[in-house]
Coordinates of all heavy atoms in Angstrom, one line a residue:
D320 N -8.2 -7.4 -2.4 CA -8.3 -8.2 -1.2 C -8.1 -7.5 0.0 O -8.7 -7.6 1.1 CB -7.3 -9.4 -1.4 CG -7.8 -10.4 -2.4 OD1 -9.0 -10.4 -2.8 OD2 -6.9 -11.2 -2.8
Q321 N -7.0 -6.6 0.0 CA -6.6 -5.9 1.3 C -7.5 -4.7 1.5 O -7.6 -4.2 2.7 CB -5.1 -5.5 1.2 CG -4.2 -6.7 1.2 CD -2.8 -6.3 1.7 OE1 -2.6 -5.2 2.1 NE2 -1.9 -7.3 1.7
L322 N -8.1 -4.1 0.5 CA -8.9 -2.9 0.7 C -10.3 -3.2 0.1 O -10.7 -2.7 -1.0 CB -8.3 -1.7 -0.1 CG -6.9 -1.3 0.4 CD1 -6.4 -0.1 -0.5 CD2 -6.8 -0.9 1.8
P323 N -11.1 -4.1 0.7 CA -12.4 -4.4 0.2 C -13.4 -3.2 0.2 O -14.4 -3.2 -0.6 CB -12.9 -5.4 1.2 CG -12.2 -5.2 2.4 CD -10.8 -4.8 2.0
D324 N -13.1 -2.1 0.9 CA -14.0 -1.0 0.9 C -13.6 0.0 -0.2 O -14.4 1.0 -0.4 CB -13.9 -0.2 2.3 CG -14.4 -1.1 3.4 OD1 -15.1 -2.0 3.2 OD2 -13.9 -0.9 4.6
L325 N -12.6 -0.3 -0.9 CA -12.2 0.6 -2.1 C -13.2 0.4 -3.2 O -13.4 -0.8 -3.6 CB -10.8 0.3 -2.6 CG -10.3 1.0 -3.8 CD1 -10.1 2.5 -3.5 CD2 -8.9 0.4 -4.2
H326 N -13.8 1.5 -3.7 CA -14.8 1.3 -4.7 C -14.1 0.8 -6.0 O -13.0 1.2 -6.4 CB -15.4 2.7 -5.0 CG -16.4 3.2 -3.9 ND1 -17.3 4.1 -4.1 CD2 -16.4 2.8 -2.6 CE1 -17.9 4.3 -2.9 NE2 -17.4 3.5 -2.0
H327 N -14.9 0.0 -6.7 CA -14.4 -0.7 -7.9 C -13.9 0.4 -8.9 O -12.8 0.2 -9.5 CB -15.5 -1.5 -8.6 CG -15.1 -2.2 -9.8 ND1 -14.3 -3.3 -9.8 CD2 -15.2 -1.8 -11.2 CE1 -14.1 -3.7 -11.1 NE2 -14.6 -2.8 -11.9
D328 N -14.6 1.5 -9.1 CA -14.2 2.5 -10.1 C -13.1 3.4 -9.6 O -12.6 4.3 -10.4 CB -15.4 3.4 -10.4 CG -16.6 2.7 -11.1 OD1 -16.2 1.6 -11.7 OD2 -17.7 3.1 -11.0
N329 N -12.6 3.2 -8.4 CA -11.6 4.0 -7.8 C -10.2 3.3 -7.8 O -9.3 3.8 -7.2 CB -11.9 4.5 -6.4 CG -13.0 5.6 -6.5 OD1 -13.3 6.1 -7.5 ND2 -13.5 5.9 -5.3
L330 N -10.1 2.1 -8.4 CA -8.9 1.5 -8.6 C -8.4 1.7 -10.0 O -9.0 1.0 -10.9 CB -8.9 0.0 -8.2 CG -7.6 -0.8 -8.3 CD1 -6.5 -0.2 -7.6 CD2 -7.8 -2.2 -7.8
F331 N -7.5 2.6 -10.2 CA -7.0 2.8 -11.6 C -5.8 1.9 -11.9 O -4.8 2.0 -11.3 CB -6.6 4.3 -11.7 CG -7.7 5.3 -11.5 CD1 -7.4 6.7 -11.5 CD2 -9.0 4.9 -11.3 CE1 -8.4 7.6 -11.3 CE2 -10.0 5.8 -11.2 CZ -9.7 7.2 -11.1
C332 N -6.0 1.2 -13.0 CA -4.9 0.3 -13.4 C -4.1 0.8 -14.6 O -4.7 1.0 -15.6 CB -5.5 -1.1 -13.7 SG -4.3 -2.4 -14.2

Side-chain angles (χ1 to χ4, degrees):
D320 287 343
Q321 291 203 5
L322 302 177
D324 297 333
L325 176 64
H326 289 200
H327 179 82
D328 292 339
N329 287 351
L330 179 51
F331 297 175
C332 180

